[in-house]
Amino acid sequence: MQIPDIIIAVDGYSSTGKSSFAKQIAKEFGFTYLDSGALYRGVTLFAMENGFIDDDCKIDVEALDAALKGLDLHFGPQGTYIGSRCIESRIRSLDVASKVSPIATVPQIRSFVDGKLREAGSRKRVVMDGRDIGTTVFPDAELKLFMTADPLVRAQRRAAEMASKGDVASLDEVLRNLQERDYIDSHRETSPLTQAPDAIVLDNSNMTPAQQMDWLKEIISDKFGC
Ligand code: CDP
């Protein structure tokens, strides 16, 4: 299937499989996949390692904002990097996950990440996943999906994914983390997680990856006549 040069925004709740689906879409149509959450996770790790956030998630916003100017956070061959250091597996840990949503409430951090995302999407043919891609980062994206799934199904998937990487966390801990993040993400003042009015909802609680792709192809063929 040949599709036009568009931006596909995939937003939704934590651990609904946005990144797996976005990667699957990118592969299918030859698009570039961009993981906006990885940049928030990267800023979180940077803040943790440099003392800009404490154990109670108190953030020194002024100092962190000043330090962002010198932060070389970018996508590379193995995922996300700070300078030449690959931080991909480090940013997926539960300690980073437990601090990322407070970090993502800070407007200065959001505009730092937005700048990087808009630059990366300027040539179209990208599929980007996150919380505010279709509402704030690319409000004119030609195709917007909003993903949701049953919380327990989501926690089970995430716990299994972590276990497969040797990262041990109880189902309870994972469920609590994703519910906390959903709450903070939906209630923050700047760019909260909300469904764009023109987004199409996908509840994939009971869907396989192949079924998701069939569902999407039908939508694309209706919308773009291809
Ligand atoms: O774990 P999951 O894949 O669901 O989340 P993620 O995409 O890695 O994003 C981690 C966190 O970054 C989210 O819980 C949000 O707090 C924040 N985020 C955001 O605020 N806006 C985005 N566009 C992407 C992520």
Side-chain angles (χ1 to χ4, degrees), residues 11-19 35-38 40-41 91-92 97 100-102 104-105 110 113-114 117 129-133 137 158 177-178 181-182 184-185 188 191:
D11 288 307
Y13 294 101
S14 297
S15 308
T16 44
K18 296 183 299 294
S19 68
D35 176 358
S36 68
Y40 287 102
R41 287 170 180 267
I91 59 171
R92 305 295 161 189
V100 62
S101 287
T105 62
R110 300 205 69 81
V113 170
D114 287 352
L117 296 174
D129 79 326
R131 303 292 187 288
D132 61 341
I133 309 304
V137 183
R158 179 52 59 101
N177 172 259
L178 65 89
R181 283 197 287 135
D182 285 348
I184 300 173
D185 293 346
R188 69 178 172 231
S191 307

Side-chain angles (χ1 to χ4, degrees), residues 101-148:
S101 287
I103 284 280
T105 62
V106 179
Q108 292 92 326
I109 294 170
R110 300 205 69 81
S111 72
F112 170 81
V113 170
D114 287 352
K116 292 196 177 291
L117 296 174
R118 291 195 183 115
E119 192 189 312
S122 62
R123 285 187 303 279
K124 304 256 178 172
R125 295 191 77 79
V126 296
V127 46
M128 191 174 289
D129 79 326
R131 303 292 187 288
D132 61 341
I133 309 304
T135 50
T136 302
V137 183
F138 289 114
D140 297 331
E142 292 83 355
L143 181 60
K144 300 179 186 178
L145 308 178
F146 190 86
M147 291 181 63
T148 181

